[in-house]
Amino acid sequence: MTTDQKPLPPGQFETLSFDRFGLGRFAWRFAKNLDTVTFRIAGDVAQPVQVKDQFAALPRVEQVSDFHCVTTWSVRAVHWRGVRFADFYRQVVLPQAKPQDGATVVVLRGQDGYRVSMLLDDLLADDVLLADTLDGQPLGLAHGAPLRLVAPAHYGYKHAKHIEAIEFWRDRRHYRFPLPYPNLMDHPRGRVAFEERARFLPMWIIRPLYRFLMPFARHKMRTALEHWQAAQRKH
Ligand SMILES: Nc1nc2c(c(=O)[nH]1)N[C@H]1C(S)=C(S)[C@@H](COP(=O)(O)O)O[C@H]1N2
Ligand SMILES: [Mo]
């Protein structure tokens, strides 16, 4: 088990509860498949692959890591279980999908329509997981069931939840951060240590702006989750 306990990075404050969070426009879009890990590998690959049993065969790891949202809240010591992205890449993507040379822009898509890009090199780091378990429990709707990305060195918005596709592209043409948030609110890497919160915008605008917007997004996510939970109880 790897443990990763560091002082809070620049511009972050600690929150004690780990809540459902995300872009407001996805609050009311609920993933339908919460139980079965299955997703496509696509993009500039020789052979698109639907992953299912291959995933269950990969080695599993546990990890405790801090979680940092770009809107300035952090949760310490989150306990995940899953598969290292690097193992998935080497044991499934390379031999089965056979990405073309230079297919290093990775786009992760969620069942709710969310999408985000990461650089392949960043995903191959030791602490990047495709996680299906949080605190010993399946992820649930709040935290990205059935499978989500965990990349502790990167802001939370890179941690795609409800993964339904992972694409490997040779360029960024196939990717647009979800509207109405233009690509300038995204950063190709989004590293926490370097405050890569956004491109172009200066930190003295972006930090207070995000901190101001955060409670509205959190409230919207919580209301939607409570609504979804009430509907589940009726069925
Ligand atoms: N599918 C999907 N993944 C997503 C999001 C989303 O709205 N939809 N929001 C991102 C953001 S901004 C954050 S901070 C984290 C929140 O993870 P949590 O809900 O487990 O707290 O999920 C990220 N992944
Ligand atoms: Mo976030």
Side-chain angles (χ1 to χ4, degrees), residues 118-133:
M118 287 279 282
L119 301 186
L120 178 60
D121 272 350
D122 287 340
L123 288 170
L124 295 178
D126 247 13
D127 58 356
V128 176
L129 307 185
L130 290 167
D132 57 7
T133 304

Side-chain angles (χ1 to χ4, degrees), residues 21-23 67-73 114 155-158:
F21 197 79
L23 300 188
F67 183 94
H68 309 291
C69 172
V70 76
T71 65
T72 73
W73 60 271
Y114 188 82
Y155 286 115
Y157 75 91
K158 295 292 189 184

Side-chain angles (χ1 to χ4, degrees), residues 123-167:
L123 288 170
L124 295 178
D126 247 13
D127 58 356
V128 176
L129 307 185
L130 290 167
D132 57 7
T133 304
L134 167 65
D135 290 331
Q137 302 293 322
L139 293 175
L141 182 82
H143 293 293
L147 192 72
R148 76 174 298 160
L149 189 77
V150 173
H154 303 260
Y155 286 115
Y157 75 91
K158 295 292 189 184
H159 301 214
K161 298 189 287 187
H162 316 297
I163 291 173
E164 66 163 22
I166 303 181
E167 300 165 356

